[in-house]
Amino acid sequence: MRSFLNDLNETMNLDIQSNRAEQKYTAAAQFRRVLWGAGKLFFRFSPRPCFGWRRFVLRGFGAKIGRQVHTYPSTRIYFPWNLAVGDWSAIGEDAFIYNLGQVTLGERVTVSHRAHLCAGTHDYTRTDLPLLKPPIEIGNQAWICADAFVGPGVVIGEGAVVGARAVVTKNVEPWTVVAGNPARVVKQREIKT
């Protein structure tokens, strides 16, 4: 038995050296990362009510930002050129948009404080752990509540609500409310006038 486990362990070693040697970004992308490293200071240290200024900065770095979008200075956006945000949407304080892959927010979307949208992962089934960049799409009028996590490749349907601290690793149907870890449907969202 011990011999079997030793043999299994030998074949199961991760090839970290190959992972680190892999070129994950083009030279142009690396250059943009360096520029954003300096440019995000103009975003981060802007006064809180200067939403127009932050829209300007994000657009300058390739983000597609709609009208009247509110992003707060403590919001962390990894790659602005992989971000599209529709009109009247908001990304709250300390939200983290880890957008190695494209992250698209529809119109009138709210991403609350400390929410984490994670469009990057690794293929854990391969020894060299190649980088994956699955996109995230958040439909119009959806709400990602405080401290929620939305994983790589997830689509949040129109009008859906992801409850506070929920962990979403699968698509969420339109106009549903999900909560928990893992997130499960708790009810349908109804809008009262």
Side-chain angles (χ1 to χ4, degrees), residues 31-45:
F31 182 68
R32 284 193 294 190
R33 290 177 75 180
V34 170
L35 288 179
W36 177 237
K40 68 182 166 188
L41 297 175
F42 293 104
F43 181 96
R44 185 96 172 142
F45 294 107

Side-chain angles (χ1 to χ4, degrees), residues 32-99:
R32 284 193 294 190
R33 290 177 75 180
V34 170
L35 288 179
W36 177 237
K40 68 182 166 188
L41 297 175
F42 293 104
F43 181 96
R44 185 96 172 142
F45 294 107
S46 60
R48 191 173 194 272
C50 294
F51 299 110
W53 169 254
R54 286 187 292 279
R55 287 192 296 269
F56 173 77
V57 171
L58 289 172
R59 288 175 184 142
F61 282 92
K64 294 175 182 71
I65 304 294
R67 293 177 298 115
Q68 295 299 318
V69 169
H70 282 194
T71 15
Y72 290 84
S74 63
T75 299
R76 291 175 295 155
I77 298 168
Y78 207 73
F79 291 159
W81 51 90
N82 284 343
L83 180 64
V85 183
D87 298 344
W88 296 95
S89 291
I91 305 173
E93 298 279 0
D94 296 313
F96 184 26
I97 312 297
Y98 187 62
N99 54 341

Side-chain angles (χ1 to χ4, degrees), residues 152-175:
V154 169
V155 175
I156 306 293
E158 179 177 8
V161 176
V162 174
R165 295 206 169 173
V167 175
V168 180
T169 58
K170 296 179 181 172
N171 294 349
V172 176
E173 294 297 317
W175 301 100

Side-chain angles (χ1 to χ4, degrees), residues 69-70 84-92 104-112 117 137-144 156-160 189:
V69 169
H70 282 194
V85 183
D87 298 344
W88 296 95
S89 291
I91 305 173
T104 304
L105 308 180
E107 295 183 1
R108 293 177 168 79
V109 168
T110 299
V111 177
S112 292
L117 307 183
E137 185 177 335
I138 311 292
N140 295 341
Q141 303 183 80
W143 179 16
I144 312 302
I156 306 293
E158 179 177 8
R189 181 182 184 187

